[in-house]
Amino acid sequence: MSNHDIDISPPPSKRRHLFKPLISVNNAEAPDPAQFASLAPSLPSRSLTPLQPNQLRIFSWNLNGINPFLQPTITSFFHSSRNKDSSKHASSRESSPVPPTPSLRACLQRWKWPQVVCLQEVKIARSDLKTQQAVRQAVRTPRNVAHGGSEQEPGYMAHFSLPKDKYNARGFGGKVYGVCTLIRDDLASDEHSSIGDLIKDVCWDLEGRVLVLELPSRKLAVFNNYAVNGTDNPYRDTRTGEVTGTRHDRKRAFHTNLQAECKSYESRGWAVVVAGDLNVARSPLDGFPSRRMGEAHVANRIDFEAKFMATEQEGGLGMADTYRALHGGELKYSYRGRGREWGSSCDRVDLILLSSNRVTDGRIVLTEADILDEEAERGPSDHVPLYITVQMKATDVDTSR
């Protein structure tokens, strides 16, 4: 994806690249990270700047289960962040006090209160109203002032899309998959709407994988996605239970349906952000020591590129991979598996995509993008958070939703 396909700030000539920019994800000449070291690099996070007027910050994180974030035992996962040596690249989050019982709100504070947080793989059963309410309470209630809280801390609302597919989401009592979008209260006030009016799911997803936040005053739709992981396991018809293919087939159908949803918004002049665990490592730079190269995985990757990254003339959406747009071939990863040495096996499968410059038309300028690729930031998950910041220009409210 060319950096010229998206508005970015500062312009390309004034940005420092640590590696040669990625030209094509299918380029066989792209450097193989495995040739450089036995362990993948782990670069420090960039400082999060305070949000300015008309800026929007979106975080994304595959939690691999939200329950640990509702328990005090998560404390140990974040102690190391207080002991890390500082550097000119070190995140300013590390200077923030870490409360004795970190929680979702502790994460929000370290991230400087982003307006939108897209969480994936929350693993809450649709019938588990108690846990859903616990999440809502955790992000609404400011932490005790003695633990670093403040009466000025913003509140958030939590909205869920949870699995209801009785044939394809049956494991662990329904505690599989699931996405949750956290929305800062003042964002709905800016839209002159209740938050419930801004959130929708999609009819073609019964596994709790997609949640859409609509911001009419900005003509922006934010998709929170936990894309299907392609495997040879069977996929069953949601009405009859009959096997209709594999999870690889379902993954490609997911791509088709998601692309159609994005096109629907773009056809009305809306810009689209697609954020989440998309379960695809786009290029050789995005997997260490290598990507999955089985025939079906390659087909899935080609399908993703054709639908989302290829130009409109080629039948795609021409979206920008925001991290690559700003940082070229810099080696950071979003998946860091547990139970193995840090850096021995990792992938960049969590992405934040943004509509092309033709769609955004100068209304949206990408100013920041990063992956918090540090062991302390992984917490109890096997993924790390990532984010973008964009400068927004207000538009006429679109009421044709």
Side-chain angles (χ1 to χ4, degrees), residues 163-239:
K164 52 187 175 183
D165 187 331
K166 62 182 180 180
Y167 296 112
N168 297 293
R170 298 183 301 172
F172 305 100
K175 293 184 178 182
V176 294
Y177 314 143
V179 295
C180 173
T181 300
L182 308 181
I183 307 167
R184 212 172 70 184
D185 288 346
D186 59 341
L187 190 60
S189 300
D190 293 344
E191 294 293 335
H192 306 290
S193 292
S194 67
I195 291 180
D197 292 335
L198 304 176
I199 285 284
K200 58 175 284 188
D201 53 17
V202 292
C203 63
W204 48 267
D205 167 45
L206 301 181
E207 295 186 12
R209 294 184 175 276
V210 182
L211 203 55
V212 187
L213 169 64
E214 297 181 331
L215 301 175
S217 72
R218 299 164 172 86
K219 291 187 178 178
L220 177 68
V222 180
F223 283 74
N224 181 0
N225 295 270
Y226 177 40
V228 175
N229 182 25
T231 70
D232 291 326
N233 292 333
Y235 178 77
R236 299 179 182 276
D237 184 281
T238 58
R239 296 163 297 179

Side-chain angles (χ1 to χ4, degrees), residues 224-257:
N224 181 0
N225 295 270
Y226 177 40
V228 175
N229 182 25
T231 70
D232 291 326
N233 292 333
Y235 178 77
R236 299 179 182 276
D237 184 281
T238 58
R239 296 163 297 179
T240 67
E242 295 294 321
V243 174
T244 59
T246 69
R247 299 294 286 180
H248 289 298
D249 299 316
R250 180 57 186 166
K251 181 175 183 63
R252 293 190 284 273
F254 183 95
H255 291 166
T256 299
N257 291 329

Side-chain angles (χ1 to χ4, degrees), residues 199-388:
I199 285 284
K200 58 175 284 188
D201 53 17
V202 292
C203 63
W204 48 267
D205 167 45
L206 301 181
E207 295 186 12
R209 294 184 175 276
V210 182
L211 203 55
V212 187
L213 169 64
E214 297 181 331
L215 301 175
S217 72
R218 299 164 172 86
K219 291 187 178 178
L220 177 68
V222 180
F223 283 74
N224 181 0
N225 295 270
Y226 177 40
V228 175
N229 182 25
T231 70
D232 291 326
N233 292 333
Y235 178 77
R236 299 179 182 276
D237 184 281
T238 58
R239 296 163 297 179
T240 67
E242 295 294 321
V243 174
T244 59
T246 69
R247 299 294 286 180
H248 289 298
D249 299 316
R250 180 57 186 166
K251 181 175 183 63
R252 293 190 284 273
F254 183 95
H255 291 166
T256 299
N257 291 329
L258 180 58
Q259 184 201 39
E261 292 284 345
C262 294
K263 279 186 174 181
S264 175
Y265 282 100
E266 291 189 348
S267 69
R268 305 201 316 261
W270 285 49
V272 172
V273 170
V274 173
D277 180 356
L278 296 177
N279 267 311
V280 60
R282 296 189 57 217
S283 87
L285 295 177
D286 297 324
F288 186 94
S290 64
R291 299 174 296 167
R292 295 188 292 186
M293 295 302 295
E295 182 178 352
H297 294 297
V298 171
N300 294 341
R301 187 158 51 242
I302 291 173
D303 185 72
F304 175 86
E305 293 293 319
K307 290 185 170 71
F308 295 95
M309 313 310 296
T311 65
E312 292 176 86
Q313 293 77 12
E314 297 169 325
L317 292 171
M319 302 190 83
D321 181 338
T322 55
Y323 179 74
R324 289 284 176 235
L326 284 185
H327 306 303
E330 182 179 88
L331 297 178
K332 280 195 173 185
Y333 305 93
S334 64
Y335 171 79
R336 298 273 190 167
R338 307 195 69 84
R340 63 189 71 180
E341 185 176 5
W342 179 265
S344 61
S345 178
C346 41
D347 298 281
R348 190 179 73 100
V349 293
D350 302 81
L351 307 173
I352 302 180
L353 309 179
L354 177 62
S355 289
S356 69
N357 186 43
R358 183 199 65 78
V359 177
T360 60
D361 193 28
R363 294 185 292 110
I364 302 176
V365 178
L366 178 66
T367 61
E368 294 178 313
D370 202 12
I371 302 170
L372 308 187
D373 187 15
E374 301 176 64
E375 195 165 4
E377 290 289 349
R378 182 180 62 177
S381 180
D382 49 5
H383 293 247
V384 298
L386 62 157
Y387 70 92
I388 63 168

